[in-house]
Amino acid sequence: MDALRRALAGDTKCWATRFTAIRKQRFARLPTEAVEYERATELNEGLAQYIQDVAQGRRPRLDREFGPADVRNRAYASGEGIAILLDQLRPDGVSKCDFTDAERAAASTQARRAVEAVLTHRQESIKEFDSAPGWRIQVIAGGDRLRLAGFDPINVERLGGTKVLHNRFFGVTSSHGSAEALDHRSVTVGAGPHPLFGGIREWTILVDSRPTVK
């Protein structure tokens, strides 16, 4: 994001080249589905944000810092930034530039602290959910995995492994029917290597009052 901001602020070709190289290196270390999710979000949501800002005559807000888990919101900003770069660039030359050693060290320290904060927050979120007052509805899939029907990508939090906290909405389907939780927090445990897209093994919903079955 720093390289992208520098490309938009001044030495466009130089820092756009550096941004592209860093992006390529990072994508090479990520699972294919993570790369596809990020690029699709940049394409769909980032371009939508770009069009909205252009139509309203607003300058984009790309100075925000994003945490390690804030992938979706960061893709809004990076997607818009890439669109602006494409408006500015022409394929008529490449220049070289790079971050200083001090800048790299500072970024590494910041990233390490941010990841440590995410891990701490995950443990706190698990403890808070487990100790929250109220009743719990637990759905455990047998041989037929629960299939993902919908979730709120803005209000979701990875808790580690295949466990995911949904703070607003989550829905599933199966051969027996469908169910959803709206405005109730719930935790899912994935049945496959991916926490959501490989099916759901367990689903625990937190409710304020004793549930009734009709």
Side-chain angles (χ1 to χ4, degrees), residues 55-95:
Q56 296 182 351
R58 297 187 309 192
R59 293 183 61 84
R61 287 289 309 277
L62 301 178
D63 56 344
R64 176 183 167 187
E65 293 294 338
F66 298 94
D70 202 4
V71 176
R72 188 173 180 85
N73 285 324
R74 187 182 69 240
Y76 277 67
S78 60
E80 181 175 17
I82 292 170
I84 297 172
L85 278 183
L86 291 173
D87 282 343
Q88 297 176 357
L89 286 172
R90 294 179 180 178
D92 57 0
V94 175
S95 54

Side-chain angles (χ1 to χ4, degrees), residues 11-201:
D11 197 344
T12 303
K13 292 179 182 177
C14 178
W15 282 105
T17 302
R18 194 75 194 103
F19 165 74
T20 303
I22 294 172
R23 178 182 174 87
K24 184 177 181 179
Q25 293 168 3
R26 185 169 62 85
F27 279 172
R29 302 176 65 179
L30 292 175
T32 301
E33 61 270 18
V35 176
E36 292 175 349
Y37 177 83
E38 184 172 333
R39 296 190 66 173
T41 305
E42 287 176 331
L43 178 64
N44 295 312
E45 307 297 351
L47 282 182
Q49 187 66 54
Y50 164 77
I51 293 171
Q52 179 178 324
D53 284 342
V54 169
Q56 296 182 351
R58 297 187 309 192
R59 293 183 61 84
R61 287 289 309 277
L62 301 178
D63 56 344
R64 176 183 167 187
E65 293 294 338
F66 298 94
D70 202 4
V71 176
R72 188 173 180 85
N73 285 324
R74 187 182 69 240
Y76 277 67
S78 60
E80 181 175 17
I82 292 170
I84 297 172
L85 278 183
L86 291 173
D87 282 343
Q88 297 176 357
L89 286 172
R90 294 179 180 178
D92 57 0
V94 175
S95 54
K96 294 183 179 181
C97 55
D98 205 347
F99 293 99
T100 66
D101 290 342
E103 288 171 333
R104 287 179 177 276
S108 178
T109 299
Q110 180 182 358
R112 184 169 56 254
R113 290 174 178 172
V115 170
E116 291 171 353
V118 168
L119 296 177
T120 299
H121 179 68
R122 284 179 175 179
Q123 294 302 315
E124 293 173 348
S125 296
I126 293 173
K127 291 179 181 178
E128 198 279 331
F129 183 87
D130 290 343
S131 62
W135 294 77
R136 284 161 176 76
I137 302 171
Q138 189 172 39
V139 181
I140 300 177
D144 184 15
R145 296 179 178 181
L146 301 174
R147 298 185 299 275
L148 175 66
F151 71 103
D152 184 345
I154 300 297
N155 293 287
V156 65
E157 180 181 346
R158 183 84 176 266
L159 297 179
T162 61
K163 188 175 287 188
V164 178
L165 171 64
H166 306 270
N167 287 307
R168 180 181 173 273
F169 167 74
F170 186 75
V172 296
T173 62
S174 75
S175 59
H176 302 289
S178 62
E180 66 178 35
L182 178 62
D183 293 329
H184 291 287
R185 287 186 297 161
S186 65
V187 169
T188 56
V189 179
H194 192 281
L196 294 177
F197 300 151
I200 306 301
R201 177 165 53 87

